[in-house]
Amino acid sequence: MGTAEAPLFDTGGRVQVGPPGAKFDLMVGSRATPCIVDWNEDGFYDLLVGALDGKLRLYYNEGGGLPPDLRHTLFVADAYGDLVVPYGYSSPTMADFDGDGVKDLIVGNAEGELYFYRNMGSQAAPAFIAGSRCESLSQPIDLGVQGRARPFACDWDGDGRQDLLSGSSQGKVHLFIGLPNAVAAPPLAAAGLTLEAPWPNPASPVSSLAFTLVREAAVDLGVFDLRGRRLATLLAETRGAGRHVIRWQGLDDDGRVLASGVYLLKLQADGEQASAKLLLRR
């Protein structure tokens, strides 16, 4: 039997960022989750880091070569500003998940959910609009309350499609095999409507809720507690095809201030329905 030695490492050190000669320890606040990716396709690895605040910080390798020369902290953005995964604890992984030839973004969060951000830009200049829940056989992926999903892209079964491995706070590893056209539409999209992730989330207390209809339909949009009790009706009327945005002030139907906590948003239109979670903070 061989006697191969274990690999050796140096004493270790912190990754640093800043101009040459004036670098300092990289710090994202708490719960740093790094991902190595060639963001701008210049042939050199860059660093993408998630954090407790749900944001994604990007560090270009501006010196080229190795070791990487990280100089500036940039924030990944979507259509609303800095991209913030709902419930925080952002944990990113990047790969071409929808088979269109450009790398996309999937981010895990504190609640064990996985959010897909389709790259609407290019391979060398990624751009994102809004995130939507990843699905497993038409059901939103949920690793459990405070599941703290930590996804990693890979081709597990060698079929050329991206699969997902995700760690969780329960100590288990979950495997999701990519299916043909698995992300051809946003994961919260039905045939006639799409409910986008609330923004901001957590809300303190105002949040914007956006949905899209492919045709005119009677719409019912409500806020529910975790027991399924309706607390507020945000919309109950017919709306035309297109994208609609509703703002919620964190109040129930009687104008009373709702306490901090997790609430469910349920949208029904044209016989279809979609839902999302919203964390309210006071």
Side-chain angles (χ1 to χ4, degrees), residues 98-150:
D98 56 5
D100 64 355
V102 296
K103 54 183 175 285
D104 308 298
L105 182 63
I106 284 182
V107 187
N109 72 359
E111 289 296 296
E113 301 166 339
L114 298 172
Y115 278 80
F116 171 64
Y117 297 84
R118 179 175 284 114
N119 184 356
M120 306 302 291
S122 65
Q123 180 76 337
F128 308 101
I129 295 179
S132 50
R133 292 277 299 279
C134 292
E135 286 189 349
S136 175
L137 298 179
S138 299
Q139 295 297 318
I141 292 175
D142 191 340
L143 305 185
V145 177
Q146 297 184 347
R148 299 181 184 177
R150 298 293 180 259

mmCIF file of all heavy atoms in Angstrom, residues 98-150:
data_model
loop_
_atom_site.group_PDB
_atom_site.id
_atom_site.type_symbol
_atom_site.label_atom_id
_atom_site.label_comp_id
_atom_site.label_asym_id
_atom_site.label_seq_id
_atom_site.Cartn_x
_atom_site.Cartn_y
_atom_site.Cartn_z
ATOM 1 N N ASP A 98 -29.107 27.719 -17.485
ATOM 2 C CA ASP A 98 -30.220 27.629 -18.442
ATOM 3 C C ASP A 98 -29.771 27.281 -19.849
ATOM 4 O O ASP A 98 -30.577 27.275 -20.773
ATOM 5 C CB ASP A 98 -31.039 28.918 -18.445
ATOM 6 C CG ASP A 98 -30.196 30.149 -18.747
ATOM 7 O OD1 ASP A 98 -28.999 29.992 -19.053
ATOM 8 O OD2 ASP A 98 -30.746 31.267 -18.672
ATOM 9 N N GLY A 99 -28.486 26.980 -20.033
ATOM 10 C CA GLY A 99 -28.004 26.491 -21.308
ATOM 11 C C GLY A 99 -27.963 27.513 -22.425
ATOM 12 O O GLY A 99 -27.943 27.132 -23.598
ATOM 13 N N ASP A 100 -27.908 28.806 -22.084
ATOM 14 C CA ASP A 100 -27.878 29.827 -23.130
ATOM 15 C C ASP A 100 -26.470 30.315 -23.432
ATOM 16 O O ASP A 100 -26.276 31.265 -24.187
ATOM 17 C CB ASP A 100 -28.769 31.016 -22.767
ATOM 18 C CG ASP A 100 -28.292 31.765 -21.525
ATOM 19 O OD1 ASP A 100 -27.327 31.304 -20.889
ATOM 20 O OD2 ASP A 100 -28.893 32.810 -21.201
ATOM 21 N N GLY A 101 -25.454 29.678 -22.833
ATOM 22 C CA GLY A 101 -24.075 30.006 -23.152
ATOM 23 C C GLY A 101 -23.435 31.044 -22.263
ATOM 24 O O GLY A 101 -22.252 31.364 -22.460
ATOM 25 N N VAL A 102 -24.169 31.589 -21.296
ATOM 26 C CA VAL A 102 -23.584 32.562 -20.369
ATOM 27 C C VAL A 102 -23.840 32.104 -18.933
ATOM 28 O O VAL A 102 -24.851 31.478 -18.643
ATOM 29 C CB VAL A 102 -24.149 33.983 -20.589
ATOM 30 C CG1 VAL A 102 -23.784 34.503 -21.971
ATOM 31 C CG2 VAL A 102 -25.653 34.015 -20.386
ATOM 32 N N LYS A 103 -22.913 32.428 -18.054
ATOM 33 C CA LYS A 103 -23.014 31.966 -16.668
ATOM 34 C C LYS A 103 -24.097 32.740 -15.923
ATOM 35 O O LYS A 103 -24.255 33.955 -16.088
ATOM 36 C CB LYS A 103 -21.674 32.114 -15.956
ATOM 37 C CG LYS A 103 -21.037 33.488 -15.994
ATOM 38 C CD LYS A 103 -19.679 33.457 -15.297
ATOM 39 C CE LYS A 103 -18.952 34.788 -15.417
ATOM 40 N NZ LYS A 103 -18.398 34.999 -16.776
ATOM 41 N N ASP A 104 -24.855 32.026 -15.119
ATOM 42 C CA ASP A 104 -25.926 32.580 -14.294
ATOM 43 C C ASP A 104 -25.511 32.475 -12.829
ATOM 44 O O ASP A 104 -24.444 31.950 -12.495
ATOM 45 C CB ASP A 104 -27.237 31.828 -14.532
ATOM 46 C CG ASP A 104 -27.592 31.739 -15.997
ATOM 47 O OD1 ASP A 104 -27.794 32.790 -16.615
ATOM 48 O OD2 ASP A 104 -27.647 30.608 -16.524
ATOM 49 N N LEU A 105 -26.393 32.927 -11.972
ATOM 50 C CA LEU A 105 -26.100 32.986 -10.544
ATOM 51 C C LEU A 105 -27.204 32.272 -9.771
ATOM 52 O O LEU A 105 -28.390 32.509 -10.005
ATOM 53 C CB LEU A 105 -26.018 34.446 -10.115
ATOM 54 C CG LEU A 105 -25.684 34.796 -8.668
ATOM 55 C CD1 LEU A 105 -24.292 34.303 -8.303
ATOM 56 C CD2 LEU A 105 -25.782 36.313 -8.481
ATOM 57 N N ILE A 106 -26.824 31.384 -8.877
ATOM 58 C CA ILE A 106 -27.755 30.818 -7.902
ATOM 59 C C ILE A 106 -27.206 31.133 -6.519
ATOM 60 O O ILE A 106 -26.007 30.956 -6.259
ATOM 61 C CB ILE A 106 -27.955 29.312 -8.093
ATOM 62 C CG1 ILE A 106 -28.863 29.062 -9.314
ATOM 63 C CG2 ILE A 106 -28.570 28.669 -6.852
ATOM 64 C CD1 ILE A 106 -29.169 27.601 -9.586
ATOM 65 N N VAL A 107 -28.083 31.627 -5.638
ATOM 66 C CA VAL A 107 -27.665 32.060 -4.308
ATOM 67 C C VAL A 107 -28.528 31.383 -3.260
ATOM 68 O O VAL A 107 -29.763 31.434 -3.322
ATOM 69 C CB VAL A 107 -27.779 33.595 -4.166
ATOM 70 C CG1 VAL A 107 -27.177 34.038 -2.831
ATOM 71 C CG2 VAL A 107 -27.083 34.311 -5.317
ATOM 72 N N GLY A 108 -27.900 30.744 -2.282
ATOM 73 C CA GLY A 108 -28.609 30.196 -1.149
ATOM 74 C C GLY A 108 -28.819 31.256 -0.088
ATOM 75 O O GLY A 108 -28.150 32.299 -0.090
ATOM 76 N N ASN A 109 -29.746 31.009 0.842
ATOM 77 C CA ASN A 109 -30.024 31.998 1.890
ATOM 78 C C ASN A 109 -30.212 31.332 3.249
ATOM 79 O O ASN A 109 -30.097 30.105 3.399
ATOM 80 C CB ASN A 109 -31.220 32.879 1.506
ATOM 81 C CG ASN A 109 -32.554 32.142 1.585
ATOM 82 O OD1 ASN A 109 -32.626 30.955 1.905
ATOM 83 N ND2 ASN A 109 -33.629 32.849 1.286
ATOM 84 N N ALA A 110 -30.542 32.150 4.254
ATOM 85 C CA ALA A 110 -30.660 31.654 5.627
ATOM 86 C C ALA A 110 -31.814 30.688 5.804
ATOM 87 O O ALA A 110 -31.785 29.834 6.693
ATOM 88 C CB ALA A 110 -30.814 32.833 6.590
ATOM 89 N N GLU A 111 -32.867 30.822 4.987
ATOM 90 C CA GLU A 111 -34.068 29.997 5.150
ATOM 91 C C GLU A 111 -34.021 28.697 4.359
ATOM 92 O O GLU A 111 -35.038 28.015 4.226
ATOM 93 C CB GLU A 111 -35.298 30.807 4.747
ATOM 94 C CG GLU A 111 -35.653 31.909 5.732
ATOM 95 C CD GLU A 111 -36.033 31.366 7.092
ATOM 96 O OE1 GLU A 111 -37.053 30.663 7.196
ATOM 97 O OE2 GLU A 111 -35.301 31.624 8.063
ATOM 98 N N GLY A 112 -32.870 28.356 3.810
ATOM 99 C CA GLY A 112 -32.763 27.108 3.060
ATOM 100 C C GLY A 112 -33.345 27.186 1.673
ATOM 101 O O GLY A 112 -33.652 26.159 1.059
ATOM 102 N N GLU A 113 -33.484 28.391 1.139
ATOM 103 C CA GLU A 113 -34.023 28.590 -0.203
ATOM 104 C C GLU A 113 -32.883 28.858 -1.185
ATOM 105 O O GLU A 113 -31.805 29.308 -0.804
ATOM 106 C CB GLU A 113 -35.003 29.763 -0.214
ATOM 107 C CG GLU A 113 -36.169 29.589 0.732
ATOM 108 C CD GLU A 113 -36.941 30.881 0.961
ATOM 109 O OE1 GLU A 113 -36.378 31.969 0.729
ATOM 110 O OE2 GLU A 113 -38.099 30.787 1.383
ATOM 111 N N LEU A 114 -33.141 28.592 -2.457
ATOM 112 C CA LEU A 114 -32.192 28.860 -3.526
ATOM 113 C C LEU A 114 -32.846 29.807 -4.522
ATOM 114 O O LEU A 114 -33.950 29.535 -5.007
ATOM 115 C CB LEU A 114 -31.774 27.565 -4.220
ATOM 116 C CG LEU A 114 -31.052 26.532 -3.340
ATOM 117 C CD1 LEU A 114 -30.883 25.228 -4.097
ATOM 118 C CD2 LEU A 114 -29.698 27.062 -2.892
ATOM 119 N N TYR A 115 -32.155 30.910 -4.825
ATOM 120 C CA TYR A 115 -32.676 31.910 -5.759
ATOM 121 C C TYR A 115 -31.846 31.921 -7.038
ATOM 122 O O TYR A 115 -30.610 31.926 -6.989
ATOM 123 C CB TYR A 115 -32.667 33.298 -5.118
ATOM 124 C CG TYR A 115 -33.859 33.538 -4.222
ATOM 125 C CD1 TYR A 115 -33.882 33.031 -2.928
ATOM 126 C CD2 TYR A 115 -34.972 34.239 -4.675
ATOM 127 C CE1 TYR A 115 -34.988 33.228 -2.105
ATOM 128 C CE2 TYR A 115 -36.075 34.438 -3.862
ATOM 129 C CZ TYR A 115 -36.070 33.936 -2.580
ATOM 130 O OH TYR A 115 -37.166 34.135 -1.778
ATOM 131 N N PHE A 116 -32.541 31.919 -8.163
ATOM 132 C CA PHE A 116 -31.913 31.924 -9.479
ATOM 133 C C PHE A 116 -31.953 33.336 -10.065
ATOM 134 O O PHE A 116 -33.002 33.980 -10.102
ATOM 135 C CB PHE A 116 -32.657 30.957 -10.406
ATOM 136 C CG PHE A 116 -32.218 31.044 -11.848
ATOM 137 C CD1 PHE A 116 -30.935 30.707 -12.213
ATOM 138 C CD2 PHE A 116 -33.103 31.449 -12.830
ATOM 139 C CE1 PHE A 116 -30.531 30.774 -13.535
ATOM 140 C CE2 PHE A 116 -32.721 31.520 -14.156
ATOM 141 C CZ PHE A 116 -31.425 31.174 -14.509
ATOM 142 N N TYR A 117 -30.787 33.805 -10.501
ATOM 143 C CA TYR A 117 -30.674 35.100 -11.164
ATOM 144 C C TYR A 117 -30.147 34.851 -12.570
ATOM 145 O O TYR A 117 -28.969 34.533 -12.763
ATOM 146 C CB TYR A 117 -29.733 36.024 -10.398
ATOM 147 C CG TYR A 117 -30.218 36.372 -9.008
ATOM 148 C CD1 TYR A 117 -29.983 35.514 -7.933
ATOM 149 C CD2 TYR A 117 -30.930 37.543 -8.766
ATOM 150 C CE1 TYR A 117 -30.438 35.814 -6.658
ATOM 151 C CE2 TYR A 117 -31.389 37.851 -7.491
ATOM 152 C CZ TYR A 117 -31.135 36.987 -6.446
ATOM 153 O OH TYR A 117 -31.590 37.293 -5.186
ATOM 154 N N ARG A 118 -31.038 34.956 -13.552
ATOM 155 C CA ARG A 118 -30.641 34.729 -14.948
ATOM 156 C C ARG A 118 -29.754 35.878 -15.425
ATOM 157 O O ARG A 118 -30.044 37.047 -15.196
ATOM 158 C CB ARG A 118 -31.872 34.592 -15.839
ATOM 159 C CG ARG A 118 -31.520 34.382 -17.308
ATOM 160 C CD ARG A 118 -32.753 34.124 -18.154
ATOM 161 N NE ARG A 118 -33.224 32.768 -17.948
ATOM 162 C CZ ARG A 118 -34.394 32.465 -17.381
ATOM 163 N NH1 ARG A 118 -35.188 33.415 -16.957
ATOM 164 N NH2 ARG A 118 -34.761 31.205 -17.241
ATOM 165 N N ASN A 119 -28.668 35.529 -16.089
ATOM 166 C CA ASN A 119 -27.749 36.514 -16.653
ATOM 167 C C ASN A 119 -28.354 37.076 -17.931
ATOM 168 O O ASN A 119 -28.411 36.407 -18.960
ATOM 169 C CB ASN A 119 -26.397 35.860 -16.934
ATOM 170 C CG ASN A 119 -25.354 36.843 -17.444
ATOM 171 O OD1 ASN A 119 -25.637 38.022 -17.676
ATOM 172 N ND2 ASN A 119 -24.146 36.353 -17.630
ATOM 173 N N MET A 120 -28.796 38.331 -17.852
ATOM 174 C CA MET A 120 -29.374 38.996 -19.019
ATOM 175 C C MET A 120 -28.325 39.790 -19.786
ATOM 176 O O MET A 120 -28.645 40.456 -20.778
ATOM 177 C CB MET A 120 -30.501 39.933 -18.573
ATOM 178 C CG MET A 120 -31.567 39.262 -17.728
ATOM 179 S SD MET A 120 -32.375 37.864 -18.552
ATOM 180 C CE MET A 120 -33.293 38.741 -19.819
ATOM 181 N N GLY A 121 -27.076 39.739 -19.326
ATOM 182 C CA GLY A 121 -25.991 40.414 -20.013
ATOM 183 C C GLY A 121 -25.223 39.442 -20.884
ATOM 184 O O GLY A 121 -25.796 38.712 -21.697
ATOM 185 N N SER A 122 -23.917 39.396 -20.706
ATOM 186 C CA SER A 122 -23.067 38.525 -21.514
ATOM 187 C C SER A 122 -22.161 37.701 -20.605
ATOM 188 O O SER A 122 -22.136 37.875 -19.388
ATOM 189 C CB SER A 122 -22.208 39.359 -22.474
ATOM 190 O OG SER A 122 -21.292 40.168 -21.745
ATOM 191 N N GLN A 123 -21.400 36.801 -21.213
ATOM 192 C CA GLN A 123 -20.485 35.975 -20.443
ATOM 193 C C GLN A 123 -19.425 36.830 -19.741
ATOM 194 O O GLN A 123 -19.035 36.542 -18.608
ATOM 195 C CB GLN A 123 -19.806 34.960 -21.382
ATOM 196 C CG GLN A 123 -18.815 34.024 -20.725
ATOM 197 C CD GLN A 123 -19.462 32.910 -19.923
ATOM 198 O OE1 GLN A 123 -20.595 33.016 -19.486
ATOM 199 N NE2 GLN A 123 -18.715 31.819 -19.741
ATOM 200 N N ALA A 124 -18.976 37.901 -20.403
ATOM 201 C CA ALA A 124 -17.929 38.740 -19.835
ATOM 202 C C ALA A 124 -18.463 39.931 -19.046
ATOM 203 O O ALA A 124 -17.694 40.604 -18.362
ATOM 204 C CB ALA A 124 -17.010 39.239 -20.955
ATOM 205 N N ALA A 125 -19.761 40.199 -19.135
ATOM 206 C CA ALA A 125 -20.362 41.321 -18.407
ATOM 207 C C ALA A 125 -21.733 40.908 -17.892
ATOM 208 O O ALA A 125 -22.766 41.314 -18.424
ATOM 209 C CB ALA A 125 -20.467 42.555 -19.299
ATOM 210 N N PRO A 126 -21.781 40.069 -16.854
ATOM 211 C CA PRO A 126 -23.069 39.598 -16.330
ATOM 212 C C PRO A 126 -23.950 40.749 -15.850
ATOM 213 O O PRO A 126 -23.466 41.742 -15.311
ATOM 214 C CB PRO A 126 -22.652 38.697 -15.150
ATOM 215 C CG PRO A 126 -21.263 38.266 -15.463
ATOM 216 C CD PRO A 126 -20.645 39.451 -16.147
ATOM 217 N N ALA A 127 -25.260 40.614 -16.072
ATOM 218 C CA ALA A 127 -26.244 41.603 -15.621
ATOM 219 C C ALA A 127 -27.494 40.849 -15.207
ATOM 220 O O ALA A 127 -27.912 39.892 -15.871
ATOM 221 C CB ALA A 127 -26.558 42.603 -16.729
ATOM 222 N N PHE A 128 -28.103 41.285 -14.120
ATOM 223 C CA PHE A 128 -29.236 40.570 -13.547
ATOM 224 C C PHE A 128 -30.406 41.516 -13.337
ATOM 225 O O PHE A 128 -30.219 42.702 -13.060
ATOM 226 C CB PHE A 128 -28.838 39.920 -12.216
ATOM 227 C CG PHE A 128 -27.598 39.077 -12.321
ATOM 228 C CD1 PHE A 128 -26.376 39.567 -11.898
ATOM 229 C CD2 PHE A 128 -27.646 37.808 -12.875
ATOM 230 C CE1 PHE A 128 -25.228 38.810 -12.011
ATOM 231 C CE2 PHE A 128 -26.499 37.036 -12.996
ATOM 232 C CZ PHE A 128 -25.285 37.544 -12.558
ATOM 233 N N ILE A 129 -31.633 40.990 -13.474
ATOM 234 C CA ILE A 129 -32.834 41.794 -13.283
ATOM 235 C C ILE A 129 -33.423 41.533 -11.906
ATOM 236 O O ILE A 129 -33.445 42.391 -11.049
ATOM 237 C CB ILE A 129 -33.869 41.500 -14.383
ATOM 238 C CG1 ILE A 129 -33.310 41.938 -15.751
ATOM 239 C CG2 ILE A 129 -35.179 42.224 -14.097
ATOM 240 C CD1 ILE A 129 -34.238 41.671 -16.905
ATOM 241 N N ALA A 130 -33.910 40.336 -11.659
ATOM 242 C CA ALA A 130 -34.501 39.997 -10.363
ATOM 243 C C ALA A 130 -34.377 38.492 -10.151
ATOM 244 O O ALA A 130 -34.305 37.721 -11.108
ATOM 245 C CB ALA A 130 -35.959 40.428 -10.294
ATOM 246 N N GLY A 131 -34.352 38.095 -8.898
ATOM 247 C CA GLY A 131 -34.230 36.686 -8.589
ATOM 248 C C GLY A 131 -35.569 36.011 -8.408
ATOM 249 O O GLY A 131 -36.583 36.652 -8.120
ATOM 250 N N SER A 132 -35.598 34.696 -8.598
ATOM 251 C CA SER A 132 -36.807 33.916 -8.384
ATOM 252 C C SER A 132 -36.406 32.565 -7.806
ATOM 253 O O SER A 132 -35.288 32.095 -7.995
ATOM 254 C CB SER A 132 -37.588 33.743 -9.685
ATOM 255 O OG SER A 132 -36.743 33.293 -10.722
ATOM 256 N N ARG A 133 -37.319 31.948 -7.065
ATOM 257 C CA ARG A 133 -37.015 30.702 -6.363
ATOM 258 C C ARG A 133 -36.713 29.570 -7.334
ATOM 259 O O ARG A 133 -37.414 29.375 -8.329
ATOM 260 C CB ARG A 133 -38.194 30.305 -5.480
ATOM 261 C CG ARG A 133 -38.440 31.221 -4.289
ATOM 262 C CD ARG A 133 -37.564 30.876 -3.109
ATOM 263 N NE ARG A 133 -37.789 29.535 -2.623
ATOM 264 C CZ ARG A 133 -38.792 29.184 -1.814
ATOM 265 N NH1 ARG A 133 -39.661 30.092 -1.408
ATOM 266 N NH2 ARG A 133 -38.917 27.935 -1.400
ATOM 267 N N CYS A 134 -35.689 28.797 -7.023
ATOM 268 C CA CYS A 134 -35.423 27.574 -7.782
ATOM 269 C C CYS A 134 -36.447 26.517 -7.388
ATOM 270 O O CYS A 134 -36.861 26.433 -6.233
ATOM 271 C CB CYS A 134 -34.020 27.061 -7.473
ATOM 272 S SG CYS A 134 -32.691 28.103 -8.084
ATOM 273 N N GLU A 135 -36.821 25.703 -8.366
ATOM 274 C CA GLU A 135 -37.823 24.666 -8.134
ATOM 275 C C GLU A 135 -37.240 23.275 -8.271
ATOM 276 O O GLU A 135 -36.279 23.053 -9.004
ATOM 277 C CB GLU A 135 -38.987 24.816 -9.118
ATOM 278 C CG GLU A 135 -39.917 25.967 -8.806
ATOM 279 C CD GLU A 135 -41.168 25.929 -9.671
ATOM 280 O OE1 GLU A 135 -41.197 25.130 -10.629
ATOM 281 O OE2 GLU A 135 -42.101 26.676 -9.386
ATOM 282 N N SER A 136 -37.834 22.346 -7.571
ATOM 283 C CA SER A 136 -37.572 20.932 -7.730
ATOM 284 C C SER A 136 -38.897 20.268 -8.085
ATOM 285 O O SER A 136 -39.803 20.195 -7.250
ATOM 286 C CB SER A 136 -37.006 20.340 -6.434
ATOM 287 O OG SER A 136 -36.866 18.932 -6.551
ATOM 288 N N LEU A 137 -39.032 19.851 -9.351
ATOM 289 C CA LEU A 137 -40.277 19.252 -9.838
ATOM 290 C C LEU A 137 -41.475 20.146 -9.518
ATOM 291 O O LEU A 137 -42.479 19.711 -8.949
ATOM 292 C CB LEU A 137 -40.466 17.851 -9.256
ATOM 293 C CG LEU A 137 -39.378 16.836 -9.637
ATOM 294 C CD1 LEU A 137 -39.647 15.496 -8.981
ATOM 295 C CD2 LEU A 137 -39.295 16.674 -11.156
ATOM 296 N N SER A 138 -41.357 21.422 -9.881
ATOM 297 C CA SER A 138 -42.423 22.430 -9.795
ATOM 298 C C SER A 138 -42.719 22.905 -8.378
ATOM 299 O O SER A 138 -43.676 23.639 -8.173
ATOM 300 C CB SER A 138 -43.723 21.918 -10.447
ATOM 301 O OG SER A 138 -43.510 21.636 -11.817
ATOM 302 N N GLN A 139 -41.932 22.482 -7.398
ATOM 303 C CA GLN A 139 -42.100 22.960 -6.033
ATOM 304 C C GLN A 139 -40.860 23.755 -5.622
ATOM 305 O O GLN A 139 -39.737 23.300 -5.850
ATOM 306 C CB GLN A 139 -42.316 21.793 -5.065
ATOM 307 C CG GLN A 139 -43.603 21.029 -5.303
ATOM 308 C CD GLN A 139 -44.837 21.892 -5.081
ATOM 309 O OE1 GLN A 139 -44.916 22.667 -4.138
ATOM 310 N NE2 GLN A 139 -45.811 21.755 -5.968
ATOM 311 N N PRO A 140 -41.045 24.948 -5.030
ATOM 312 C CA PRO A 140 -39.875 25.718 -4.608
ATOM 313 C C PRO A 140 -38.981 24.922 -3.665
ATOM 314 O O PRO A 140 -39.463 24.272 -2.738
ATOM 315 C CB PRO A 140 -40.499 26.930 -3.900
ATOM 316 C CG PRO A 140 -41.862 27.063 -4.497
ATOM 317 C CD PRO A 140 -42.307 25.658 -4.769
ATOM 318 N N ILE A 141 -37.685 24.953 -3.927
ATOM 319 C CA ILE A 141 -36.734 24.250 -3.068
ATOM 320 C C ILE A 141 -36.691 24.916 -1.695
ATOM 321 O O ILE A 141 -36.571 26.131 -1.585
ATOM 322 C CB ILE A 141 -35.336 24.247 -3.703
ATOM 323 C CG1 ILE A 141 -35.347 23.368 -4.966
ATOM 324 C CG2 ILE A 141 -34.281 23.751 -2.717
ATOM 325 C CD1 ILE A 141 -34.051 23.397 -5.737
ATOM 326 N N ASP A 142 -36.806 24.120 -0.662
ATOM 327 C CA ASP A 142 -36.798 24.623 0.708
ATOM 328 C C ASP A 142 -36.123 23.578 1.589
ATOM 329 O O ASP A 142 -36.652 22.482 1.781
ATOM 330 C CB ASP A 142 -38.230 24.884 1.187
ATOM 331 C CG ASP A 142 -38.284 25.649 2.505
ATOM 332 O OD1 ASP A 142 -37.264 25.639 3.220
ATOM 333 O OD2 ASP A 142 -39.334 26.233 2.813
ATOM 334 N N LEU A 143 -34.948 23.904 2.113
ATOM 335 C CA LEU A 143 -34.194 22.967 2.939
ATOM 336 C C LEU A 143 -34.570 23.052 4.405
ATOM 337 O O LEU A 143 -33.908 22.457 5.252
ATOM 338 C CB LEU A 143 -32.687 23.211 2.776
ATOM 339 C CG LEU A 143 -32.153 23.166 1.346
ATOM 340 C CD1 LEU A 143 -30.637 23.291 1.358
ATOM 341 C CD2 LEU A 143 -32.592 21.907 0.621
ATOM 342 N N GLY A 144 -35.644 23.793 4.722
ATOM 343 C CA GLY A 144 -36.118 23.885 6.089
ATOM 344 C C GLY A 144 -35.842 25.240 6.695
ATOM 345 O O GLY A 144 -34.991 26.001 6.229
ATOM 346 N N VAL A 145 -36.599 25.580 7.751
ATOM 347 C CA VAL A 145 -36.431 26.857 8.430
ATOM 348 C C VAL A 145 -34.994 26.987 8.921
ATOM 349 O O VAL A 145 -34.448 26.069 9.523
ATOM 350 C CB VAL A 145 -37.422 26.980 9.607
ATOM 351 C CG1 VAL A 145 -37.185 28.287 10.369
ATOM 352 C CG2 VAL A 145 -38.859 26.916 9.096
ATOM 353 N N GLN A 146 -34.384 28.128 8.630
ATOM 354 C CA GLN A 146 -32.984 28.375 8.949
ATOM 355 C C GLN A 146 -32.090 27.282 8.356
ATOM 356 O O GLN A 146 -31.109 26.854 8.967
ATOM 357 C CB GLN A 146 -32.766 28.494 10.459
ATOM 358 C CG GLN A 146 -33.509 29.668 11.078
ATOM 359 C CD GLN A 146 -33.223 29.838 12.555
ATOM 360 O OE1 GLN A 146 -32.668 28.970 13.202
ATOM 361 N NE2 GLN A 146 -33.607 30.985 13.080
ATOM 362 N N GLY A 147 -32.440 26.846 7.148
ATOM 363 C CA GLY A 147 -31.681 25.777 6.499
ATOM 364 C C GLY A 147 -30.303 26.189 6.039
ATOM 365 O O GLY A 147 -29.424 25.350 5.847
ATOM 366 N N ARG A 148 -30.106 27.512 5.820
ATOM 367 C CA ARG A 148 -28.801 28.045 5.434
ATOM 368 C C ARG A 148 -28.209 27.286 4.255
ATOM 369 O O ARG A 148 -27.171 26.622 4.365
ATOM 370 C CB ARG A 148 -27.856 28.050 6.637
ATOM 371 C CG ARG A 148 -28.375 28.930 7.759
ATOM 372 C CD ARG A 148 -27.462 28.982 8.957
ATOM 373 N NE ARG A 148 -28.072 29.779 10.023
ATOM 374 C CZ ARG A 148 -27.543 29.971 11.210
ATOM 375 N NH1 ARG A 148 -26.377 29.425 11.500
ATOM 376 N NH2 ARG A 148 -28.161 30.704 12.120
ATOM 377 N N ALA A 149 -28.871 27.399 3.110
ATOM 378 C CA ALA A 149 -28.460 26.693 1.899
ATOM 379 C C ALA A 149 -27.110 27.203 1.408
ATOM 380 O O ALA A 149 -26.883 28.402 1.322
ATOM 381 C CB ALA A 149 -29.516 26.888 0.809
ATOM 382 N N ARG A 150 -26.239 26.279 1.077
ATOM 383 C CA ARG A 150 -24.905 26.598 0.566
ATOM 384 C C ARG A 150 -24.679 25.810 -0.724
ATOM 385 O O ARG A 150 -24.170 24.692 -0.695
ATOM 386 C CB ARG A 150 -23.834 26.254 1.614
ATOM 387 C CG ARG A 150 -23.956 27.051 2.913
ATOM 388 C CD ARG A 150 -23.661 28.525 2.658
ATOM 389 N NE ARG A 150 -23.754 29.327 3.869
ATOM 390 C CZ ARG A 150 -24.811 30.083 4.180
ATOM 391 N NH1 ARG A 150 -25.854 30.101 3.376
ATOM 392 N NH2 ARG A 150 -24.820 30.810 5.272
#
